[in-house]
Amino acid sequence: MDESAIDALIASVDAELAATEDAAAVRVQHSFTDVRRAHRIRRRVEGVTLRTVPGRFEAAAGEPMGEAA
């Protein structure tokens, strides 16, 4: 993989994490959602986003990644 593909992958993950934080901030502003619930939701979405990174990397690289030796 070249540097631009890696940078694009990192940028897409950063954008998703930023969107998650924005959504959590909006939820906190509403009275029907408490801070603890908003934090849990944000943490859960961040975890899902970060778990998808290896799959995205494999798709961008075009070859499956094995375990590090």
Side-chain angles (χ1 to χ4, degrees):
M1 268 181 86
D2 62 350
E3 188 175 329
S4 62
I6 293 170
D7 288 341
L9 181 64
I10 291 170
S12 70
V13 171
D14 285 343
E16 285 187 40
L17 291 175
T20 300
E21 287 184 31
D22 291 343
V26 168
R27 286 187 190 110
V28 169
Q29 292 173 358
H30 297 329
S31 61
F32 60 84
T33 306
D34 64 352
V35 175
R36 179 182 289 167
R37 183 173 179 207
H39 176 71
R40 286 182 191 151
I41 291 169
R42 188 184 80 214
R43 190 177 60 206
R44 194 174 302 129
V45 172
E46 286 175 353
V48 169
T49 302
L50 292 175
R51 282 191 295 275
T52 64
V53 171
R56 290 180 184 179
F57 185 75
E58 289 174 3
E63 50 189 47
M65 290 177 48
E67 283 190 19

